[in-house]
Amino acid sequence: MPLARLVLPLFYQDSVKLMRLAREIGKKKGVSEVAALMGTPANREILLHAGLAGDGEVDAGPNDLVLAVEAETQETACEAIEEAKAFLTQARVTGGDSSDFSPSSLAGALAGAPESNLAMISVPGAYAAKEAMDALRSGLHVFLFSDNVSVDDEVALKREATRRDLLLMGPDCGTAYIAGAGLGFTNAVRPGRVGCIAASGTGLQAVASQLDALGEGVSHGIGVGGRDLSAEVGGLMTLHALDFLSSDPETEIVALISKPPDAEVLPEIEEALENFSKPHVVCFLGAENPDWAETLEDAGHAVAAILKGESYRPENFFAQAWLKEKIASLKPGGALDGGGVLGLFSGGTLAHESRLILEDLLGDASWNEEAGRHRILDLGDDRYTVGKPHPMIDPESRAEMVSQAAMDGDLGVVLFDVILGRGSSPDPAGPLARAITEAKEKGKSPAFVASVVGTADDPQDMDEQVRILEDAGVVVLPSNAQAARFAAALVKPELIENA
C-alpha cells in the first residue's frame, strides 16, 4: 500500500501524546497504519520490521520525530501526514493543554517549583538514565515512564536511589500511587492504609481497584519495574520499597505483587519479608507457596481480611451454585465443549495471570503466538502496537481482532479485560461491544467473557461500561481470575461436575 513518511528534526514529543495522535490519524478514512515514534534505534527497528520504513532504514536520531502513514492512496497518506504535522506544530506553538509553566530542563523546573520532591521522566531510553540520575542527585524521587533503559543503567539508578533513600520507580513504569496521588495510568482509588509494591501497571491497578471496592485505600503504590526481581537487578527497589513502607506512618499493611523473583533473588526477598515489621500479603503469580496469594483477587481479599482481623480462604469457584446454571444457559447442548480459548488482553499482568489459570485447568496455552488451541495475547506488547496506540488508549484495533475471532469455528470463548481510569480510553467497552453485537448478528459465534478493572469514581463510569458489555451478551465477572476460570468451565464441563 502507498506509504508517506516525514522526519521532524529535534522535535521531541511525549510517548503518550504520540499514541493519542496515532489513534486520531488512524481514524481517517483510507488510513490503514500509523506510526508516530521518536527516532531511537529501537523504534527505527520497529518501523523496519513493520514495513513502515520504506525502501531502507529511516534516517533519524533519538530526538527526531518520525511520522509514517500507510493508506489506500498516496494522496490520503500524504494528507494524513500533513494533518499530524499541523496538529503537533500548532500544539507546540500554543502550548496545547499545558500550563504556562513549561521549563525546558530539570534545573528550570526546580527553579520554578523548588518545593517539588518527585520527577516524572518520559524521554527516549538512551537519554532517560541521565535525566533520572540528575533528578536523583537533585534529591527527587523518580517515576521513570521511559522504556529501552539498559539493565546496567537501571542497576546504577537504583543503587543511587537507595543510597539517597529515594524511590526509583521503573523503568517502563506505567502506574504508581504516591501519597494518594496517581501517576501514569491509574484508577480513582481512595487514599488509605495499604502500601503496594508491584512490578507492573495493570497488576497494581487491579489490586488497588479491588481494595477500593472492599472499602480500603492505598497509601502508596510503588511500581518497581518488570526487571527488578531479575538476577541482574537483584530486587534492589523491591527491598528498598519494603524499607520505605516499613517506616511510613500511613501504611499499616503491605501487598507485594509480581511474577516470581529469580531463584537467586528469592532468598533475599524471603529474608526481608521474615524480618518485615508490618503485616504483608505476597502474590508472586505462578509461585508455588501455599502461604502466598494465588491470584490478584486473592491478594486484595487477604489484605482486607487482615485489616478486619479476619482470615481469608478462597472458595472453590467451580462449586458455586449459580455457576452450573449460568454455564448451561450459554452453551445449549454442549455447543462450546472442547473449543479453544483466545485471550485478547490490554493488561500484561492480567494476561499472564489468565494464562497461568488456563494452563492449570486446560493444558498448554500459547503466549503471543498465532498457533495453539488455547492462546493468550498481550496486545500491549510492542509487536501489536507498531503503528497503533496501546489498546488501553484506543480499543479499536482490539475490536477488529474480536470481529476476526468471531469467525473462527474452533474457538469456544474469547476472553478479555477492560481497563478504566486516567489515561485510558473514555469508552473502552463501546467498540468491543459493537464488534461483538455485529458478530452475533452474523450467526454462530464464541462466547465472550470479560472482567473490568476500575472503580466507581473512574471517569468512564464503571457501571455503564459493565452494562454496555452485558447488553452485547458478554459475561462480566468480578475479577480477572474468575473470568479465566469461567472461560475454562465453558469449554471443559467436567471442571464443574468434579468440583
Side-chain angles (χ1 to χ4, degrees):
M1 297 182 72
L3 173 69
R5 195 178 67 238
L6 177 67
V7 176
L8 297 174
L10 301 177
F11 203 91
Y12 177 76
Q13 296 290 311
D14 179 83
S15 58
V16 174
K17 180 186 291 185
L18 293 179
M19 285 189 285
R20 288 176 175 152
L21 171 65
R23 177 188 64 189
E24 292 304 315
I25 298 301
K27 294 177 181 178
K28 183 178 174 65
K29 185 177 180 180
V31 171
S32 57
E33 295 285 350
V34 180
L37 304 168
M38 300 309 300
T40 63
N43 283 342
R44 295 201 306 270
E45 190 72 15
I46 289 172
L47 289 168
L48 187 64
H49 287 299
L52 295 174
D55 297 331
E57 186 174 346
V58 177
D59 183 15
N63 286 319
D64 302 333
L65 174 61
V66 182
L67 300 173
V69 175
E70 189 178 69
E72 293 178 354
T73 67
Q74 191 67 44
E75 182 181 5
T76 299
C78 292
E79 287 177 355
I81 286 285
E82 289 302 315
E83 286 183 22
K85 178 183 175 182
F87 173 84
L88 292 168
T89 304
Q90 182 63 23
R92 174 166 285 197
V93 170
T94 63
D97 56 2
S98 63
S99 66
D100 292 337
F101 179 55
S102 300
S104 58
S105 67
L106 176 65
L110 283 172
E115 73 284 359
S116 301
N117 65 357
L118 184 145
M120 297 180 66
I121 296 175
S122 177
V123 299
Y127 301 96
K130 178 187 181 303
E131 295 298 329
M133 187 65 78
D134 288 348
L136 292 171
R137 289 173 177 168
S138 298
L140 302 174
H141 300 287
V142 172
F143 176 83
L144 187 52
F145 188 82
S146 303
D147 57 4
N148 293 315
V149 175
S150 73
V151 174
D152 288 344
D153 283 339
E154 179 176 346
V155 170
L157 288 169
K158 288 181 174 177
R159 285 177 176 165
E160 183 73 12
T162 301
R163 187 175 72 81
R164 294 176 177 272
D165 197 24
L166 296 168
L167 296 175
L168 188 286
M169 292 168 280
D172 199 15
C173 187
T175 301
Y177 298 89
I178 301 299
L183 306 175
F185 294 91
T186 57
N187 299 97
V189 300
R190 69 190 78 193
R193 47 185 175 166
V194 183
C196 297
I197 303 171
S200 61
T202 53
L204 176 54
Q205 285 186 264
V207 173
S209 294
Q210 185 181 43
L211 288 169
D212 186 87
L214 293 171
E216 296 293 343
V218 173
S219 56
H220 303 283
I222 302 170
V224 297
R227 296 184 306 208
D228 192 71
L229 292 173
S230 66
E232 295 82 0
V233 183
L236 286 169
M237 194 47 51
T238 298
L239 294 168
H240 185 56
L242 284 169
D243 288 340
F244 177 86
L245 293 176
S246 70
S247 60
D248 176 49
E250 302 301 321
T251 301
E252 296 182 22
I253 187 172
V254 168
L256 184 53
I257 308 151
S258 175
K259 295 179 182 178
D262 186 271
E264 296 180 22
V265 181
L266 181 58
E268 192 170 1
I269 298 297
E270 290 177 325
E271 181 181 357
L273 291 171
E274 287 176 5
N275 297 321
F276 193 64
S277 60
K278 296 180 179 180
H280 54 274
V281 171
V282 178
C283 180
F284 287 149
L285 291 169
E288 296 181 0
N289 187 318
D291 295 327
W292 294 344
E294 183 178 349
T295 68
L296 300 171
E297 178 182 29
D298 290 343
H301 278 288
V303 167
I306 291 171
L307 288 171
K308 294 176 182 177
E310 302 171 354
S311 60
Y312 171 71
R313 180 184 295 273
E315 63 180 324
N316 183 343
F317 176 79
F318 299 106
Q320 297 179 93
W322 64 270
L323 184 59
K324 189 171 185 179
E325 181 178 347
K326 182 65 175 178
I327 292 286
S329 70
L330 293 170
K331 43 180 284 186
L336 304 177
D337 293 2
V341 177
L342 172 62
L344 299 175
F345 284 88
S346 59
T349 301
L350 304 183
H352 175 68
E353 180 182 52
S354 293
R355 184 190 183 196
L356 291 171
I357 291 171
L358 292 177
E359 287 201 318
D360 182 54
L361 298 173
L362 302 178
D364 288 345
S366 66
W367 179 259
N368 285 348
E369 299 290 342
E370 296 305 315
R373 180 179 170 197
H374 308 300
R375 295 174 288 144
I376 299 294
L377 306 183
D378 171 14
L379 300 180
D381 187 270
D382 285 347
R383 75 188 70 185
Y384 299 109
T385 56
V386 174
K388 300 182 181 70
H390 192 285
M392 285 173 58
I393 295 175
D394 182 9
E396 292 291 349
S397 59
R398 187 162 56 149
E400 293 175 9
M401 298 184 77
V402 166
S403 297
Q404 295 170 5
M407 307 302 291
D408 186 344
D410 295 327
L411 274 182
V413 182
V414 175
L415 174 67
F416 62 95
D417 59 348
V418 172
I419 313 293
L420 311 183
R422 304 181 187 97
S424 293
S425 165
D427 179 26
L432 296 168
R434 287 191 291 274
I436 291 167
T437 299
E438 291 171 3
K440 289 178 177 291
E441 290 173 350
K442 293 178 181 178
K444 181 182 176 182
S445 73
F448 295 91
V449 180
S451 65
V452 178
V453 173
T455 72
D457 292 327
D458 279 332
Q460 293 86 354
D461 189 338
M462 184 169 181
D463 287 343
E464 176 65 10
Q465 291 290 297
V466 171
R467 184 196 65 77
I468 289 171
L469 293 172
E470 289 181 337
D471 285 351
V474 180
V475 179
V476 181
L477 278 296
S479 73
N480 184 63
Q482 289 192 45
R485 290 171 178 147
F486 189 90
L490 279 168
V491 300
K492 189 176 180 181
E494 54 265 38
L495 290 171
I496 300 174
E497 296 164 2
N498 299 332

